[in-house]
Every structure is written in C-alpha cells, then in structure tokens.
Amino acid sequence: MKWLLNNNFTFLGSRDYRFSQTKKNVGTIDAVSGSGCGVLGEKSSSMLSKNLANLPARAREILLSRQILVVAKTNTISTIHRPAYTDYIGIKQFDEKGNVVGFRLLIGLYTSAAYNSSPQHIPFLRNKISHILKLSKLSPVGHSGKALINILETLPRDDLFQATEAELFDLSMGILHLKERQLTRLFVRKDTYNRYFSCLVYLPKDRIDTSLRQKMQAILLQELHGFESSFTTLLMTESILGRVHFVIRVDPTTPNDYDYKAIEKN
C-alpha cells in the first residue's frame, strides 16, 4: 500500500463492501452506504449488490479466500487521466476468527512509474518472483535461473500483477522450455472475472510483420469469441524469438473454455 501511494497509482474511486453469506457460496456482496467516493461515489450505480453465486467460480474462490489483496482489471474505460481500462484493488477485511467479512475496493490506474520500474522494486511482485524461483528449484545465479528471472521481469506488467503464482509459474516455465527453438507458441491466461484473455505469442522475430500480426489477431478474436483486441510487440535483442501480446476482450457471460493448442496450430 505504501508503494501504491508513492506515485505508483492514480486513485479514482473507492467503496466498502460487506459479505452477507448463508452458506459457502450463497449470499451477496453489498456496498456500504456512505462509503463511496470519486467515481464510486454515492451517485454511482456500479455494483451496489451482487450475488456470490453469479460470480465465476475462480473469482468467488479468490474473494472468499484469506488472500489479503485482490488485483484485477475492470471492464470500464477511464474517462479521467487516460483512456484505459481501470485497475481494481480489493483489500480484504476479516473478523476476529479470520473469516472474510468484506473488502475495500480501490479503482484507479497504475502510473507510468509502476509500469517502467523493475518488478524487483515492487513489493507485491518481488515476493511473487521469489516464490516462483523457489518452486522452480533453479539457482538464481545459474544460467537457467537468470533466464527465468528475465522472463518474469519482461512479462506484461498486468499479467504479473493479476496472475496467480501458480499461473505465473506454469507460464514462465513454459517460456523457459522454449529456449531458442524456432517454434510458434501460444500462452493464454484467462481473467479471473472472465472479461478478457491475455495471449502471448512467441515466434521467430524475423517472421513478425503487420500482415502476420493481423492474421493472428483475427484468429484469436474469432476462436475466443472476442469483440475487441489490442496488442503490443516485444523484440528481444538477445534472442531469435519475438513476442506479440494480445488482449482479447470477451463477454463475461459467454462460456470460455477452449482448446488453446488447437488455436495455436491455426
């Protein structure tokens, strides 16, 4: 939280919520009257109440877990500061028995400093990277360990913030095992709230051009039933591989379990 306050997050709104549960997955999340400010002020109708049962299973599990922070993207584009999808930070509140009873929701945008600084200087990300390195059982001073750290540090920053440690471990180890092979590989992460897919495509960088990027974008939009997409390209000087990162926006109510390997073959 101190890191956020140190010019790393532009705060646009906040609101408190309480859980009303009768059974494990049955109940509601209700806004606390008078707690809203900024874009989540009292005139805002954004999520005043929501049934737990209507949330994606993974989102419900994370909300009710003892994990203190929930980090995600909203499906709302900011009309303040810059036109980007806003970031969501939930800070859990617990009772004396350690049960989750509510959370404070912060809405805003990470600043350029947050995106440009090393993940090793960001407490939340530094801890993730350290844990993933331990899981890998690789030495941080060995060749493979250094390569894994570099992969994690150069992943799209939103993926680092929002993905679980298990997701990041599988993703980074998959990229590490690519080594310098001239293959085309697709890695997909589904948003906790089923709002979008983060798609990383690795391929020989001398093949990357506008025509191929547009073809890949069209395939992902079609296969994932997306309605909007964006992309960024990373060409690594020390590698024969390049990376194109696509974000595919989807309807959260649409079933979205796909065969990513079949999509990769397209």
Side-chain angles (χ1 to χ4, degrees):
M1 298 308 299
K2 289 179 180 177
W3 177 84
L4 289 175
L5 290 168
N6 189 25
N7 192 37
N8 288 300
F9 196 76
T10 301
F11 294 87
L12 301 178
S14 72
R15 185 185 280 157
D16 290 346
Y17 289 88
R18 291 288 181 271
F19 290 126
S20 171
Q21 274 187 273
T22 54
K23 289 187 290 185
K24 184 177 180 182
N25 292 330
V26 179
T28 59
I29 307 170
D30 302 304
V32 176
S33 179
S35 67
C37 66
V39 296
L40 295 179
E42 297 310 298
K43 292 183 179 180
S44 170
S45 60
S46 175
M47 204 187 95
L48 295 175
S49 182
K50 196 172 188 70
N51 287 324
L52 281 170
N54 293 337
L55 290 174
R58 184 159 161 263
R60 187 169 58 236
E61 179 185 342
I62 290 173
L63 272 177
L64 297 176
S65 74
R66 296 193 179 188
Q67 175 183 316
I68 295 173
L69 293 179
V70 179
V71 180
K73 279 275 188 191
T74 75
N75 56 359
T76 303
I77 295 178
S78 172
T79 58
I80 305 168
H81 193 54
R82 69 175 188 269
Y85 286 98
T86 52
D87 295 288
Y88 162 128
I89 299 172
I91 307 164
K92 304 272 189 72
Q93 295 168 337
F94 302 86
D95 63 17
E96 60 277 4
K97 295 180 180 179
N99 299 312
V100 182
V101 294
F103 63 96
R104 174 161 295 173
L105 173 62
L106 303 176
I107 295 292
L109 293 166
Y110 293 107
T111 65
S112 58
Y115 281 104
N116 295 327
S117 59
S118 168
Q120 300 283 12
H121 298 153
I122 301 173
F124 185 60
L125 302 187
R126 182 172 64 238
N127 293 339
K128 279 187 174 183
I129 291 173
S130 176
H131 187 239
I132 291 163
L133 194 60
K134 287 179 182 177
L135 286 176
S136 74
K137 298 182 181 178
L138 296 173
S139 168
V141 296
H143 176 75
S144 294
K146 288 179 179 178
L148 178 60
I149 291 171
N150 181 65
I151 288 167
L152 288 163
E153 289 189 335
T154 55
L155 283 177
R157 190 55 50 93
D158 285 335
D159 281 332
L160 273 181
F161 275 121
Q162 296 158 35
T164 65
E165 289 180 355
E167 288 174 327
L168 287 174
F169 176 75
D170 290 342
L171 172 60
S172 58
M173 293 303 290
I175 297 169
L176 180 65
H177 290 150
L178 262 180
K179 300 187 184 297
E180 290 297 296
R181 288 179 290 176
Q182 297 199 37
L183 302 174
T184 297
R185 286 292 313 275
L186 168 66
F187 299 91
V188 180
R189 182 182 68 84
K190 182 166 63 175
D191 169 54
T192 303
Y193 293 91
N194 296 342
R195 293 167 176 157
Y196 67 89
F197 290 91
S198 174
C199 305
L200 296 174
V201 181
Y202 285 81
L203 70 164
K205 62 185 179 185
D206 58 6
R207 290 186 55 207
I208 298 175
D209 58 23
T210 300
S211 175
L212 181 60
R213 190 267 303 163
Q214 290 174 337
K215 181 180 178 182
M216 293 190 296
Q217 200 163 3
I219 289 171
L220 290 170
L221 276 168
Q222 178 179 336
E223 296 293 334
L224 300 175
H225 301 99
F227 63 83
E228 181 182 292
S229 66
S230 60
F231 76 94
T232 55
T233 301
L234 176 66
L235 301 177
M236 296 161 281
T237 56
E238 72 285 0
S239 173
I240 63 171
L241 297 176
R243 184 186 79 200
V244 186
H245 177 217
F246 298 98
V247 176
I248 309 296
R249 286 269 163 182
V250 296
D251 181 346
T253 63
T254 302
N256 50 27
D257 289 321
Y258 300 103
D259 184 345
Y260 302 132
K261 283 294 180 185
I263 296 174
E264 180 183 82
K265 289 178 181 178
N266 286 335

